[in-house]
Amino acid sequence: MDEDTAATADRVLVVQLELHLDRQPLTGRLRRAGGAEHAFVGWLGFLEALRRVDGAADADDPNDRRQR
């Protein structure tokens, strides 16, 4: 395994998901523990919210070695 793969192999992101099951399109919010909420609409919005939450996790993690 190269260094980049080893650095991300054990990386875990834990989020809280609030999902409104009775709405079309799908809506909800994602949040890291102690972090800001990221609202989303639709599946693509969910993926973008997940990217934003992951980016917030990276900003808070001084051990994150990925290049941005």
Side-chain angles (χ1 to χ4, degrees):
M1 227 184 301
D2 65 6
E3 185 177 314
D4 289 334
T5 304
T8 59
D10 294 324
R11 194 164 175 269
V12 175
L13 175 64
V14 177
V15 296
Q16 179 180 17
L17 172 63
E18 178 184 309
L19 187 59
H20 302 136
L21 298 173
D22 59 342
R23 297 186 188 167
Q24 290 294 329
L26 176 77
T27 62
R29 292 183 212 145
L30 280 175
R31 175 181 24 190
R32 280 184 63 231
E37 289 185 350
H38 299 274
F40 63 87
V41 176
W43 288 107
L44 293 177
F46 170 73
L47 292 174
E48 181 57 33
L50 190 57
R51 285 187 193 108
R52 289 192 314 255
V53 169
D54 184 38
D58 292 344
D60 294 343
D61 184 359
N63 297 317
D64 186 12
R65 297 180 186 174
R66 291 186 302 165
Q67 291 181 353
R68 291 175 222 154

